[in-house]
Amino acid sequence: MSVLRLAPLAGLVTILVAGPASAQIESPVKWTFTARKVNAATYEVHMTATVDGGWRLYAQQAGEGPTPTRFTLKTSPQVALKGSVMEVGRPIVAQDTAFNTRLKYYQNQVDFVQKVTVKGKAPAALKGSVEFMVADDHQALPPKALDFKVALK
């Protein structure tokens, strides 16, 4: 009789344990954040997206529809931005099946580069976040945001 009372409880435990594993959100983009010293006071900060096969990462100026890739960079008295974020990669401008319009996007990999100048000798870092959206031929995933910090040394 006690076994019968535990049977529904065992099913609930199975659902609770298995539920989160099957509800994982896909993450078809991997980000890396690095800095390259150009001269004594100037750095290039590289924010590189590696995109899984079949997926598209929308450009900063993607067009109407998806959330474009956006960087929010936090300046400080020690770190100043030089210009805007540049896209280094092979952009594709084509009809997008997820949004049924012509859009600009990247596949495989794209490097977003921001030049910064550093004042003084103290250790410095560039902090920021990136908001981005991806799609494949069958679905568009909701926008994601990711915080980052890059040491400038």
Side-chain angles (χ1 to χ4, degrees), residues 31-34 44-49 71 73 85-86 110-115 126 129-130 148 150:
W31 289 91
T32 58
F33 304 91
T34 59
E44 286 182 349
V45 176
H46 293 260
M47 301 158 286
T48 306
F71 292 91
L73 303 173
V85 177
M86 298 176 295
V110 58
D111 193 18
F112 297 93
V113 182
Q114 174 66 60
K115 286 189 179 181
L126 179 66
S129 64
V130 57
F148 63 87
V150 180

Side-chain angles (χ1 to χ4, degrees), residues 1 6 8-9 13-15 30-31 33 37 41 52 56 61 88 91 95 113 117 121 123 125 137-138 142 144 147:
M1 186 153 113
L6 292 177
L9 182 59
V13 170
T14 302
I15 291 170
K30 308 294 182 270
W31 289 91
F33 304 91
K37 192 170 190 172
D52 288 351
R56 304 182 281 279
Q61 303 295 322
V88 180
Q95 186 71 16
V113 182
T117 55
K121 302 269 185 214
D137 288 339
H138 308 288
K144 279 188 171 185
D147 293 331

Side-chain angles (χ1 to χ4, degrees), residues 7-68:
L9 182 59
L12 179 60
V13 170
T14 302
I15 291 170
L16 291 176
V17 171
S22 63
Q24 289 180 352
I25 297 174
E26 291 187 67
S27 186
V29 179
K30 308 294 182 270
W31 289 91
T32 58
F33 304 91
T34 59
R36 184 177 73 80
K37 192 170 190 172
V38 176
N39 60 42
T42 305
Y43 291 81
E44 286 182 349
V45 176
H46 293 260
M47 301 158 286
T48 306
T50 302
V51 185
D52 288 351
W55 289 90
R56 304 182 281 279
L57 172 70
Y58 294 102
Q60 294 177 96
Q61 303 295 322
E64 294 293 323
T67 298

